[in-house]
Amino acid sequence: MFGIGGGELIFIIFIALMLFGTDKLPEAARTFGKVMANLKHATNEIKSEIQKGVDANGLDISMNQITNTFTAEVDKVKESVTANVPDLGTNVLNDASASVTKIKEDFENITGPIKRQM
């Protein structure tokens, strides 16, 4: 429940009892519940108003359409880059591989108190 464990929940209840006391705690919980219900109702109203505005103006574009358009544009850019520089990825990969191999060799050749135990 909201990422709160059992011990944490008991601690929160204990603090609430200390702050409000046993006689005012039900009233505080009831008030908190009403506030949360009003907040949920307000957010649902805002969502429905936004949806009405979108429908009225014909802006009803689904998230899938936006994602597909974005993905298509990114693919076009990738194709143009790879068409102009086809061996760039291979060169970068080879350079990185050589660097990693050199670092590995240097690490294996370390002597003294910091050499790792095998």
Side-chain angles (χ1 to χ4, degrees):
M1 178 172 73
F2 304 115
I4 297 176
E8 294 166 337
L9 188 61
I10 290 172
F11 182 72
I12 291 170
I13 292 171
F14 177 73
I15 296 297
L17 280 172
M18 295 215 23
L19 287 175
F20 299 110
T22 56
D23 54 338
K24 293 185 182 179
L25 188 61
E27 181 182 332
R30 203 173 298 117
T31 303
F32 179 72
K34 286 180 184 177
V35 167
M36 293 303 292
N38 286 337
L39 183 64
K40 185 175 180 180
H41 178 69
T43 56
N44 285 340
E45 261 186 44
I46 292 170
K47 286 179 186 177
S48 67
E49 288 297 321
I50 290 172
Q51 189 61 41
K52 285 178 187 175
V54 165
D55 291 342
N57 293 322
L59 299 174
D60 192 18
I61 299 174
S62 71
M63 198 62 171
N64 287 336
Q65 290 173 332
I66 294 171
T67 305
N68 290 340
T69 304
F70 182 74
T71 304
E73 291 298 322
V74 169
D75 289 341
K76 286 179 188 176
V77 171
K78 282 182 185 177
E79 289 174 9
S80 68
V81 168
T82 55
N84 293 333
V85 187
D87 60 335
L88 178 65
T90 307
N91 291 340
V92 170
L93 184 60
N94 289 339
D95 291 343
S97 178
S99 296
V100 168
T101 304
K102 176 154 179 20
I103 291 170
K104 183 179 177 185
E105 289 172 359
D106 291 344
F107 188 73
E108 292 294 330
N109 293 332
I110 292 177
T111 59
I114 60 172
K115 183 169 173 78
R116 64 184 169 133
Q117 303 295 319
M118 294 192 143

